[in-house]
Amino acid sequence: MDLFVSFERKMATKSIIGLWLTAVIVAAFAFPTVPNPASWHEFPIVPGLEEKARIIFFHVPMAWTTVLAFIVSMIYGIRYLAKKNMDDDLKSASSAGLGLIFCILATVTGSLWAKFSWGSFWNWDPRETSIFVLLLVYGAYFALRSALEVEEKRASLSAVYAIIAGATVPFFIFVIPRIISSLHPDPIVNSRGKIEMNGSMLTVFLCSLAGFTALYFWMFNLRIRAGRLENKQHSIGE
Amino acid sequence: MPELIFQAKDLTKTFSRRRIFSGISFVLGKSDSLAITGKNGSGKTTLLKILAGVLSPSRGSTEILSDGSRIKDADRFLYLGLVSPYLQLYDEFTAWENLDIFRKVRDSRVPESRLDALLERVRLSDRKGDPVRTYSSGMKQRLKYAFALIHDPPVLLLDEPASNLDREGISTVYGIIEEQKKKGIVIIATNDAEDLKYSNRIIDLDLLKAGGAS
Amino acid sequence: MNVRAAITIFSKDIRSELRTRYALNALIMFVITTLSVILFAIGNESVSPEVLSGVLWIIIFFSTMSGLSRTFVSEEERGTVLTLQLVARPVEVYCGKLLFNLVLLFALNTFTVALYLIFVTSFSVSSYSIFITTLVLGTLGLASASTIIAAIISKANTKGTLYPVLSFPILLPLLLTVINATKMAADGAALSEAAGEFQVLASYLVVITAVSYLLFEHVWKD
């Protein structure tokens, strides 16, 4: 991932991402919601949510990014086990750190959304439970890392744990529907309709998705470069 | 015994960015005995563990060739025996039970009768029915030799061979070393100058480090 | 892999346990104590079978956390890891210890369930076929996941507290499913209705065991 090398390219990337996300945030909040959207910059009104529906522009991209970060962490974990190159462990841990941040953000925004939609911050509904489990996995991952002093062991074991988590967490996709179907019929769950998006909403949404993904990659790259410098510093100090 | 070669190529070990040793290479054949010396902490035990296959080197490799063909890494433990102060046995079991467990796990083709012969060799026959936790450190050391020899390995790795032993124990052990040298390879990690007399090859880890390891 | 080796490691662990009884006594007392606390807490209240299904598996989960790490942690604490590394292939160690944990957990859960059915009067099982199947599949999955995590934490510093922290997210799909199936068993659902749950448990078991089998060597070897 040595994509961004020269100073000019670094500045360019930083600026593009910054401007992009600023535009997304502005559009997310500034575009008005009207009953019958006619012009290109108008959003439809979402029954029950109205203005608060704007949270979708942030919550879903954050949730997506935390999943992406986990997958990247797992992939670099696998590479470490195959080649025992410490750089892969650095990448795995860096991605996991970002994943944790985005997961906290996703959990908080998701909780806000729940509050807007159904009046309570936490319901243990499928998606809330899933994001919470991911938070637990990240927490466990870092708890494990901090309990291991030897670098090589820390790298191997956290890679193994990430892979095990990656293998078992998807089971939620199968487990949750069965749990839900056997719950008492719950009006809150049933009225959790999708937010109908029109063209302009969809555009802003997708731009936000792309923006957050780019933000993740940029921060990932930054953390790796910082980590490598730190490693060099330690080696020189020896 | 088939023609045996034990080979080390460019062994390097780094722990948490501290270089322990590097560039260690040698080739040993039947009747060769190698002594590894160096002060405490110089990496003798680490090197021995790498040669025993229980620790991976950061770079480099070790190989055992039997009649020219390379033994698979996963099977190497069948060709090696290790004695070390770090080796522990199950002290709730008797000496005989310990040896029997390890016999069955490692290579069950070894007959039960071998265990009594081994205990006889290390002079523990009279205590074979006692739990190992009742043993003195010298007795435990001798039992470790029995453990290392159950499967009659061609390569014997000894970390501080005479530790905890009285005079009788030491002479038993050197008897074992001489026998082993005739049939195979002995590698000793030691600080004891006496042990060096038993070896025809020496690696001094302190000298290697001072000389600027390659 | 030499099956005899795995079996010998398994029987070594069993014999050691029977000889010293370190874990068994503590585990039995743990189950009794936890159940007593719960009975005191419930008192004369009537608690729904749904909640009681969950409580049963809470007891099982925590007794698993109390007992199943011992097989690896004791080797680390006594310094016999090196010894095992010298005589056995990693896969033989894994299979032997998995088998040990399996037997231990089956015994423990049988004890727990028996006590639970006797003393928690508001909880009764209407569909034993669902209940037994759930217990069997749940115990298998629980033992398998707990074994690989036990191997991992045995190499770390704060083993005791780390064990449930690492295990819980991994086990959550299994726990949710077995609790759900136990509810069905308490309600008296038909066996076929729980088929989905059993499918999830069976596939979870296969996945976690396969992944553990493939990754164990990276945990065990240095």
Side-chain angles (χ1 to χ4, degrees), chain A residues 40-165:
Chain A
W40 64 275
H41 66 282
E42 288 170 344
F43 294 154
I45 296 183
V46 179
L49 285 173
E50 294 120 28
E51 293 298 310
K52 295 178 271 194
R54 296 178 196 275
I55 200 155
I56 196 180
F57 297 125
F58 304 106
H59 170 70
V60 177
M62 286 169 186
W64 148 250
T65 312
T66 185
V67 172
L68 174 66
F70 184 79
I71 294 173
V72 169
S73 181
M74 201 171 80
I75 291 175
Y76 279 112
I78 295 174
R79 276 185 63 160
Y80 174 80
L81 292 180
K83 302 207 186 116
K84 302 288 168 146
N85 184 353
M86 268 299 159
D87 198 52
D88 287 324
D89 177 58
L90 172 64
K91 289 175 181 168
S92 185
S94 303
S95 185
L98 290 175
L100 177 60
I101 296 172
F102 281 106
C103 195
I104 294 173
L105 290 172
T107 310
V108 169
T109 51
S111 178
L112 283 174
W113 190 350
K115 175 77 176 159
F116 298 158
S117 293
W118 316 316
S120 80
F121 283 110
W122 199 262
N123 283 304
W124 292 114
D125 96 314
R127 265 170 251 186
E128 284 175 322
T129 309
S130 308
I131 205 79
F132 180 67
V133 170
L134 198 52
L135 201 55
L136 289 180
V137 169
Y138 277 123
Y141 179 87
F142 284 108
L144 178 61
R145 285 189 79 93
S146 62
L148 293 161
E149 281 158 8
V150 179
E151 269 186 358
E152 291 84 1
K153 215 59 200 162
R154 183 168 63 215
S156 306
L157 294 186
S158 32
V160 169
Y161 187 71
I163 296 170
I164 294 175

Side-chain angles (χ1 to χ4, degrees), chain A residues 151-152 231 234-235 238, chain B residues 13-18 58:
Chain A
E151 269 186 358
E152 291 84 1
N231 286 345
H234 281 163
S235 305
E238 282 296 318
Chain B
K13 186 64 181 173
T14 310
F15 260 134
S16 295
R17 282 174 249 154
R18 221 185 90 236
S58 310

Side-chain angles (χ1 to χ4, degrees), chain B residues 30-102:
Chain B
K30 193 170 108 157
S31 298
D32 275 334
S33 76
L34 171 69
I36 302 168
T37 63
K39 56 184 199 286
N40 289 339
S42 56
K44 300 193 296 295
T45 302
T46 306
L47 179 55
L48 213 62
K49 279 180 153 179
I50 290 176
L51 297 177
V54 293
L55 193 58
S56 316
S58 310
R59 269 211 314 273
S61 64
T62 55
E63 269 178 7
I64 300 182
L65 300 159
S66 176
D67 283 336
S69 63
R70 190 176 181 280
I71 305 291
K72 283 197 321 211
D73 284 351
D75 294 338
R76 288 179 40 173
F77 71 103
L78 295 167
Y79 292 75
L80 302 157
L82 175 76
V83 175
S84 165
Y86 297 99
L87 190 70
Q88 299 294 333
L89 300 171
Y90 292 106
D91 56 12
E92 71 270 33
F93 291 115
T94 70
W96 198 92
E97 284 171 334
N98 263 282
L99 293 184
D100 195 43
I101 289 169
F102 298 128

